[in-house]
Amino acid sequence: MKTLLLFVALLFAVSIHGQENTSHRKGLTFKIGTRYLGWTEVSIPNPDEYEGAISFSDDGQYGKSLRVYAGYFASPKLSLNLGFGLDRYEGYGANTAPLVVQGNYYFSSNKNSFFASAEVGTQIVFAKGPDDYTGSTEAGHVYALTLGKEVTFSDKTGLKIYIGYNFQQSRYDRNNENNNYIYLEEFNRKSLILGVDFVIF
């Protein structure tokens, strides 16, 4: 009988502890963070359509990003977010503004869990090319996959530290006014993400 009572008491304690651990992941959530888009590779999707050799230097190809997300916890292990960002790519430069939908899955209901995220969306390119290019820019697309760790400060605040893969395609609609430059309609940028988000649960 004592063993049964001890077992029931243990289950009750674990249940209460689990409720305390999951209380921070419910309802609305907001986060803001920065990303370093390192080791960026720049390429074009259709090199056979252009005459002559086309190459991009690996030097100075990286990006910096600021992201803001608002979302909702469907469960202590799953959240869905809408995010907006401002990205600056150096090297063959571009300024982009991604608008994405992001899903987050936490491997544990407890605090300080590891998590996986995936996001997909569109982006607008603002940067202009050389002065003898005219025209406009068009929206491209973006997606990212990340793995990370949640670090909570309280039931209301914490950090998300993560690493991952980022892809952005910039699309242009421009006319080249002379033959000094090869005009490329699309650029693919593939980067390794190092990021930190401040989270409000």
Side-chain angles (χ1 to χ4, degrees):
M1 185 66 177
K2 290 182 179 179
T3 303
L4 180 59
L5 290 175
L6 184 60
F7 182 71
V8 171
L10 181 61
L11 285 178
F12 182 72
V14 170
S15 176
I16 292 178
H17 180 70
Q19 290 175 4
E20 291 175 351
N21 278 332
T22 60
S23 63
H24 72 298
R25 275 194 234 125
K26 61 181 180 181
L28 296 176
T29 179
F30 302 92
K31 58 184 179 179
I32 182 171
T34 61
R35 295 177 176 182
Y36 175 71
L37 306 173
W39 300 275
T40 297
E41 174 188 320
V42 182
S43 64
I44 57 174
N46 49 349
D48 294 338
E49 294 183 8
Y50 301 95
E51 296 180 0
I54 299 174
S55 62
F56 298 93
S57 171
D58 293 333
D59 298 333
Q61 301 290 344
Y62 68 95
K64 299 164 287 186
S65 176
L66 175 67
R67 296 293 176 93
V68 178
Y69 296 88
Y72 184 82
F73 280 101
S75 74
K77 287 189 174 183
L78 180 66
S79 69
L80 298 174
N81 302 317
L82 180 65
F84 178 76
L86 297 173
D87 295 357
R88 169 61 190 171
Y89 286 96
E90 304 296 341
Y92 205 95
N95 298 319
T96 67
L99 179 64
V100 299
V101 176
Q102 182 190 69
N104 300 276
Y105 177 78
Y106 295 82
F107 297 115
S108 170
S109 297
N110 298 333
K111 291 181 179 178
N112 304 317
S113 171
F114 288 96
F115 66 89
S117 297
E119 64 184 41
V120 62
T122 186
Q123 50 95 356
I124 300 172
V125 183
F126 295 109
K128 295 295 184 181
D131 292 337
D132 55 359
Y133 275 35
T134 62
S136 61
T137 61
E138 298 180 356
H141 61 274
V142 56
Y143 66 83
L145 302 170
T146 62
L147 290 171
K149 173 79 170 179
E150 173 190 79
V151 179
T152 56
F153 302 142
S154 68
D155 284 347
K156 297 298 183 182
T157 60
L159 291 179
K160 294 180 71 176
I161 303 168
Y162 53 92
I163 186 171
Y165 172 81
N166 180 76
F167 175 88
Q168 287 201 31
Q169 184 177 87
S170 303
R171 301 183 62 219
Y172 298 83
D173 179 18
R174 292 191 180 131
N175 297 317
N176 192 2
E177 294 181 352
N178 59 45
N179 295 322
N180 293 336
Y181 298 95
I182 299 175
Y183 165 57
L184 306 176
E185 292 183 349
E186 296 181 349
F187 295 94
N188 292 340
R189 291 180 172 88
K190 303 173 184 178
S191 308
L192 177 66
I193 299 172
L194 299 175
V196 178
D197 293 342
F198 175 76
V199 185
I200 300 176
F201 298 106

